[in-house]
Structure formats: structure tokens, C-alpha cells
Amino acid sequence: MSECNNNCASCGENCDARTAPQSFLKEHHPDAVVRRVYGVVSGKGGVGKSMVTSQLAVLLHRHGYAVGILDADVTGPSIPQAFGIHEQAVGTEHALLPCMSEGGVQVMSINVLLSDETDPVIWRGPVIGGVVQQFWTDVIWDVDFLLVDMPPGTGDVALNVFQQIPLDGIIIVTSPQELVSMVVEKAVKMAERMEVPIVGLVENMSYVACPDCGKKIYLFGEGKTEEAAKRHDLPVLAQMPIDPALAKLVDEGRIENLQSDALEGVVDVLVSR
């Protein structure tokens, strides 16, 4: 074997440098401080992933932690609306600064970069993936917890996040319909293949609480998420009700006025990890 010149392109040897697994992880901006990163994922759309992300951010902030949300759902961003953020982000020559909600939650989303927040993002996957990567590498975060609101499914953007951002774990959001088993299965298998820890499951739209007696009415039945969780030896961290008051807060951009404690158990788990 000839002496190595560290140029693999001109070398035919199958040495460790060539055959070792390659890491695609990216470093955050050198001026950023990010202590823990958790992804909020789902195997399908419409289960309330952004709702869970927003509530977790609010509750973590109330517990005294600096919190940021990286909105990776580029084609369907909803985080700025939930927090009442409508101004554009600003930056320096070398970095972007996250927007700050009224309560102090840091947010970076494609909607705070568009000249008109109602403009559609009609981009192909690689371009969207590049934007999400920049939200990690080019933004000066200063947070104890960074929550990544993932797009639904297991496509390009989800793969980029799993490969490029050093996730401390993910939370899988489900709903109690019959499809839950398949949805959980897809999300779990992707996390396992990418070797990302799964913190647990959150079931959204679990029940409606009767306004008169408080009785829980399970519109879609119950037990499906628990069954799926048991098959993978995962905990169900919370069951969230259908709450019209919460939906109203999001529509009005006042999610920080949230009074629900449905996700307090999830906060306890994240803080203790």
C-alpha cells in the first residue's frame, strides 16, 4: 500500500477512511447555543403535530427554559400563525436571527422570510431540504430546547432532518383512528433505521370532554395508540382532547395564552432526559 495523500478520489485502496460510515450531521451556527433538540413527527398529515409542538414550546418556556421552534414544514408552515408572528426575520451578513414571540419563544419558519406570508412555496424537495438545513446551520439560536416541527410522512425533508440535525429524540404524534397502527409503524421504523431515539407517543384528538359533567367521550374509540405503543415497547406520553378553545387560540395567534396541562407529562420527560 502506497503512502496516503488523503485524496480518496485518486486512490483505489479500500482503507478505513473510504469504507467507514459517513456522517451527514451538520454543525449549528458557531454563535448559536442549542442544548437539546427534539423532533415532533407524524406518519401522516392532519394529526396535530404543529399543535403539539406549539403547546410543548409554551409549557417548556413557562417552566423557565429558553425554547425555539424550527418549522421544518416548509410547504405548510403554521407555527408563526399560532404565535401571532407576522413580521419578517432579520439577519446579519453571515446569519439569520430567529423571530421572537410576545412571550419569548424563538421561531424560524419560511413564513417569516416570504414577502407575503400567504405566498405558496412551490419548490422541489432538494430546495426545501436546503432551506431546512439553513434553519439549523445559519440561524443564531440561543435555546435550552429546540423543537423541530417536521413535515408529515417520511420523505426528503424528514430524511434530511434525521441525517443532518443531531436529534436527542423524537416524539411521534398520532390520532386514535384505525390507521394509527400503520402510521406509528412507519414513523417508528424510520427512526430505528436512522438510529434516532423515540421518546414516546402523543395521541391527539383522543376524546371530547362533556362541558356539563366532564365525562370523556371517545369519538374514535380508545386503546388503539396504546396497542401500537406496546408492540414497540414505547410509552404513551399524553392523550390530548379535542378542544375548540385551543383551536381558537391558534387561529388568533394567541397560543401562549394556553391553559391546558395535557402535555405537562411530556415536559417532565423531556426535562428529565
Side-chain angles (χ1 to χ4, degrees), residues 89-151:
V90 298
T92 67
E93 184 179 353
H94 303 291
L96 283 169
L97 303 176
C99 290
M100 193 76 71
S101 74
E102 185 176 336
V105 174
Q106 299 172 40
V107 172
M108 178 52 67
S109 170
I110 193 65
N111 261 20
V112 301
L113 298 177
L114 299 174
S115 57
D116 184 339
E117 63 183 21
T118 64
D119 286 344
V121 176
I122 310 174
W123 299 340
R124 295 192 182 275
V127 178
I128 295 174
V131 170
V132 173
Q133 178 182 314
Q134 287 184 292
F135 287 172
W136 170 249
T137 59
D138 295 2
V139 175
I140 302 181
W141 300 100
D142 184 7
V143 293
D144 299 306
F145 289 92
L146 181 65
L147 303 178
V148 183
D149 184 25
M150 302 270 279

Side-chain angles (χ1 to χ4, degrees), residues 191-229:
E192 290 175 345
R193 291 178 185 178
M194 304 304 296
E195 298 183 348
V196 175
I198 302 173
V199 180
L201 277 60
V202 171
E203 184 182 77
N204 190 29
M205 299 180 284
S206 298
Y207 60 89
V208 174
C210 174
D212 297 321
C213 66
K215 179 182 178 181
K216 294 180 180 180
I217 303 170
Y218 293 90
L219 299 176
F220 305 106
E222 55 182 318
K224 301 182 185 70
T225 298
E226 287 91 342
E227 291 171 7

Side-chain angles (χ1 to χ4, degrees), residues 220-242:
F220 305 106
E222 55 182 318
K224 301 182 185 70
T225 298
E226 287 91 342
E227 291 171 7
K230 285 179 181 177
R231 280 199 297 274
H232 297 282
D233 195 26
L234 295 171
V236 177
L237 302 173
Q239 290 183 307
M240 297 173 56
I242 299 173

Side-chain angles (χ1 to χ4, degrees), residues 4-5 7 21 52 54 61 87 122 148 165 169 183 188 197 203 235:
C4 180
N5 62 5
N7 183 5
V52 170
S54 300
H61 191 262
E87 68 272 15
I122 310 174
V148 183
I165 299 178
V183 170
V188 168
E203 184 182 77

Side-chain angles (χ1 to χ4, degrees), residues 49-62:
K49 171 180 44 59
S50 296
M51 183 81 76
V52 170
T53 304
S54 300
Q55 289 191 58
L56 280 177
V58 170
L59 292 174
L60 281 165
H61 191 262
R62 283 184 187 167

